[in-house]
Amino acid sequence: MKSIGELVDHIYEELDDAESYAELAIECSTDDRQLAETYISISKEEINHMNRLHDQITRLIQDKKNQGIEIPQGMQEIYDYEHKKIIKKAAEVQLVISSYK
């Protein structure tokens, strides 16, 4: 299940990038609207990337369960913990994105 850990790392990278691009969009929104629109668009694409990676984690876990392979308890607990952090971070990033005008 090493790939789930790698996917979680990539999700955080996507969230960090989404936040950075949204902040750039906000910073330049009054001076260069076209650049700001590009940044906010990229930010939203990063959120889409995060969602696609999350879908793959869900699929991998479900595939194992469908094969009758039980996810080790500690691993499931770690993923559940990380998932809560990801949800919180994603909500924070969405706030930054939604503050762009």
Side-chain angles (χ1 to χ4, degrees):
M1 298 303 273
K2 176 183 173 193
S3 60
I4 290 176
E6 291 171 355
L7 289 167
V8 167
D9 288 343
H10 290 305
I11 285 173
Y12 283 118
E13 290 170 12
E14 299 295 341
L15 285 169
D16 289 342
D17 289 346
E19 185 173 36
S20 294
Y21 283 116
E23 289 170 350
L24 288 168
I26 292 165
E27 287 174 21
C28 71
S29 64
T30 55
D31 296 333
D32 190 340
R33 193 62 180 188
Q34 188 174 0
L35 180 57
E37 289 292 325
T38 297
Y39 282 143
I40 204 66
S41 176
I42 293 170
S43 177
K44 291 174 182 177
E45 289 172 16
E46 298 295 338
I47 292 296
N48 288 334
H49 296 165
M50 184 235 17
N51 287 328
R52 291 171 61 193
L53 292 169
H54 179 266
D55 290 346
Q56 289 305 304
I57 291 174
T58 302
R59 180 191 62 81
L60 289 169
I61 291 170
Q62 192 58 50
D63 284 354
K64 295 295 183 196
K65 289 179 180 178
N66 290 344
Q67 296 170 12
I69 300 171
E70 195 167 323
I71 307 300
Q73 186 62 31
M75 186 177 291
Q76 185 65 52
E77 289 171 357
I78 290 170
Y79 174 70
D80 291 343
Y81 171 78
E82 289 295 333
H83 187 255
K84 286 179 186 176
K85 286 176 37 181
I86 288 168
I87 296 300
K88 182 178 179 187
K89 177 71 174 178
E92 292 168 359
V93 173
Q94 282 295 349
L95 276 174
V96 176
I97 291 171
S98 67
S99 68
Y100 171 76
K101 296 176 178 150

